[in-house]
Amino acid sequence: MVRTVYSPEYCLQYLEQYASKEIFVIGLILGQKTGARENVIHLARTPDEKSSENSSETTFESDKLESKTLLNVSEAWVADHAKHVTRMLPGGMFVQGIFITSDEDIFEDPNSFSKVRSVVNHIHKVMSANQCMFGNCPLSNERLILHMSTSTKVLTCKSVEVGTPVKSTVIKPVEWKFLPKVQQWQRLDCYYEFDDVYPVIVKKSGISVKQQFQQILESAHKTIESSIMFIDGELKENTEVLEQILKKRKPKTHSKMQQQELPKSMNVSLFVPFENSLPESVEYLECDGSIHFSGVVSSSVFMYPKATVGETIAAVKQDIIRSLASRFTMHCDALIDDNLLPEEKVCFNEPPRRVLVPVGSLYLCDYLFPGEAPAEALLSVRELLDLQITEAEVVCDVETPADTSEFDALDKDTSSEELLATPQEASQFMYITGICFAMFVLIVSIIIHYYDAINEVFSKFVS
């Protein structure tokens, strides 16, 4: 059975735009694959590789023209583009392959096809390095290769399997269909709250911010994977289809036009079973400090209406973890000092917040650091997605900036310096407070116990 892929018609116009200029272009295919259907949402041209700063303008122009061939493409550069674009994709969306506009037939020329296979394999390898980014689609190891000839304007699509030896690579034909109508998507919104305290234990080898955040991310990953998802407050079977759930809720009195319209969004709630929120074993160690990880992650996932609840659950969980992994990476890359324990007694860090950017009939995302304006998102969208949008189209209210008033008050309060003198003293204070509270409860219990006994003796004596 031939694999079929569906995409909006503007993707064809996007390809013809570059093919008509008779120039070589390579880019990424972004989409979603479910058991019901495989949909492509966008084609994103890979930006030209930047030359060294010391090169002259003449050299830069000549290098730019020279690099406009498939054999001169850097696999690492395209894979880096895929990594950055994946951060912008909601859960359930992946880089499904690459597209090329060129004069040569990449499937007939052995050197060209070998290069194409090398590019998709390198993308697969890079995306596999960080499991929490969910860079590779779990449903298939096959990647799409879409080619449009700049001379004949003929479109050809095939798929190859990645992560396998070259000799065993199988090339399969793919049928690509362009949809004249806008694809309908079902939106699911979720707000997941974090309020956890993690110990900081500095070993002899030391520990960096990146290492500590990786531990937090792995812990959050286990917690979210163990959670149970409710859609609009109801627990659903994994085999149920989103479209069927919506039909059950619509009144029969509505017209056919109203019945065809999907609601703007469905609310999703994640609940963690109590037994899964407890550690398997408790080990008492002297901590060098602690990280209070607090905030709300906004999640907006777009699913094909015929997708199952099980596929939707996986997409929502992927979205939350991918968003955390993206923010942690961006935050660590922006740090000047990677030392985990700063000289200050209390250190406040605010990772970038999420904003939504429109792509076709759905939304992808970008991240803004504190103080950055929505205009910063336009640069990322233009460079990474090859899209032109306006600042007004960026949705910035899905997550609000952190409220630092409480932290500012604590930082200025000189009376709290003794309690927060060092991370070791802070941990010790909390430990002592716990013992005092336990002793208080024990004393009260003894008094109540003996009070009841004295009353019983006194009542017998009176009688």
Side-chain angles (χ1 to χ4, degrees), residues 30 42 44-45 47 81 84-85 87-88 330 355 357 359 364-369 372-389 394:
L30 315 180
H42 186 60
R45 173 181 174 268
H81 181 215
H84 283 83
V85 167
R87 293 177 185 171
M88 307 178 75
M330 295 175 67
V355 296
V357 292
V359 176
L364 304 191
C365 71
D366 195 15
Y367 297 93
L368 298 180
F369 281 95
E372 289 186 336
E376 297 292 334
L378 304 184
L379 300 176
S380 300
V381 172
R382 182 169 63 247
E383 183 179 12
L384 298 175
L385 300 178
D386 197 21
L387 272 177
Q388 297 289 342
I389 62 173
V394 181

Side-chain angles (χ1 to χ4, degrees), residues 87 213 293 296-298 322-335 349-355 365-372 398-402:
R87 293 177 185 171
F213 278 179
F293 187 54
V296 178
V297 173
S298 170
R322 179 185 283 173
S323 180
L324 283 179
S326 301
R327 297 174 210 234
F328 283 172
T329 302
M330 295 175 67
H331 180 67
C332 291
D333 291 343
L335 291 177
N349 286 280
E350 184 181 354
R353 62 188 178 95
R354 197 177 212 176
V355 296
C365 71
D366 195 15
Y367 297 93
L368 298 180
F369 281 95
E372 289 186 336
V398 291
E399 291 181 352
T400 57

Side-chain angles (χ1 to χ4, degrees), residues 51-64:
S51 61
S52 60
E53 296 179 357
N54 297 329
S55 61
S56 63
E57 185 177 352
T58 306
T59 306
F60 173 76
E61 290 297 331
S62 62
D63 289 343
K64 189 174 180 182

Side-chain angles (χ1 to χ4, degrees), residues 82-286:
K83 182 175 65 175
H84 283 83
V85 167
T86 299
R87 293 177 185 171
M88 307 178 75
L89 298 177
M93 302 283 183
F94 302 90
V95 175
Q96 297 290 79
I98 62 174
F99 74 89
I100 294 172
T101 64
S102 66
D103 189 27
E104 69 271 14
D105 190 338
I106 63 173
F107 298 109
E108 294 297 332
D109 182 27
N111 293 331
S112 297
F113 185 71
S114 177
K115 184 67 175 183
V116 169
R117 189 169 49 201
S118 177
V119 170
V120 293
N121 273 289
H122 197 78
I123 294 175
H124 174 75
K125 181 180 179 180
V126 169
M127 302 307 291
S128 300
N130 189 346
Q131 296 295 332
C132 293
M133 280 295 295
F134 296 99
N136 294 314
C137 180
L139 298 180
S140 175
N141 281 336
E142 294 182 1
R143 296 295 177 267
L144 299 171
I145 300 174
L146 180 65
H147 177 256
M148 174 171 278
S149 172
T150 56
S151 56
T152 64
K153 305 300 183 292
V154 174
L155 195 67
T156 308
C157 185
K158 296 185 180 182
S159 67
V160 296
E161 192 172 356
V162 292
T164 58
V166 176
K167 294 182 180 180
S168 60
T169 301
V170 179
I171 309 172
K172 298 180 181 179
V174 176
E175 184 180 3
W176 193 290
K177 293 185 177 181
F178 294 98
L179 302 174
K181 296 182 180 179
V182 177
Q183 169 67 51
Q184 284 189 325
W185 295 93
Q186 180 55 55
R187 177 172 174 171
L188 298 101
D189 292 328
C190 177
Y191 291 92
Y192 191 86
E193 184 175 2
F194 289 91
D195 190 14
D196 301 302
V197 177
Y198 296 90
V200 177
I201 303 171
V202 180
K203 301 179 182 179
K204 292 182 180 180
S205 59
I207 186 171
S208 64
V209 176
K210 192 171 294 186
Q211 290 173 325
Q212 185 68 32
F213 278 179
Q214 185 61 34
Q215 294 178 6
I216 295 175
L217 187 60
E218 291 172 359
S219 175
H221 189 187
K222 292 179 181 178
T223 301
I224 292 173
E225 285 296 336
S226 67
S227 62
I228 299 173
M229 192 176 92
F230 289 76
I231 299 180
D232 286 340
E234 298 180 0
L235 184 63
K236 301 294 182 180
E237 295 291 336
N238 287 345
T239 55
E240 288 190 72
V241 178
L242 293 179
E243 194 175 49
Q244 294 176 350
I245 297 175
L246 296 171
K247 287 181 178 180
K248 292 178 182 178
R249 296 180 181 177
K250 291 179 181 178
K252 297 181 179 179
T253 55
H254 282 193
S255 64
K256 291 183 179 180
M257 290 295 295
Q258 289 176 322
Q259 289 179 6
Q260 291 176 356
E261 294 178 358
L262 297 174
K264 291 184 178 180
S265 74
M266 302 171 74
N267 295 322
V268 174
S269 303
L270 294 179
F271 294 91
V272 181
F274 179 72
E275 62 271 13
N276 292 339
S277 63
L278 298 177
E280 296 179 0
S281 60
V282 179
E283 184 178 0
Y284 295 95
L285 298 171
E286 183 178 355

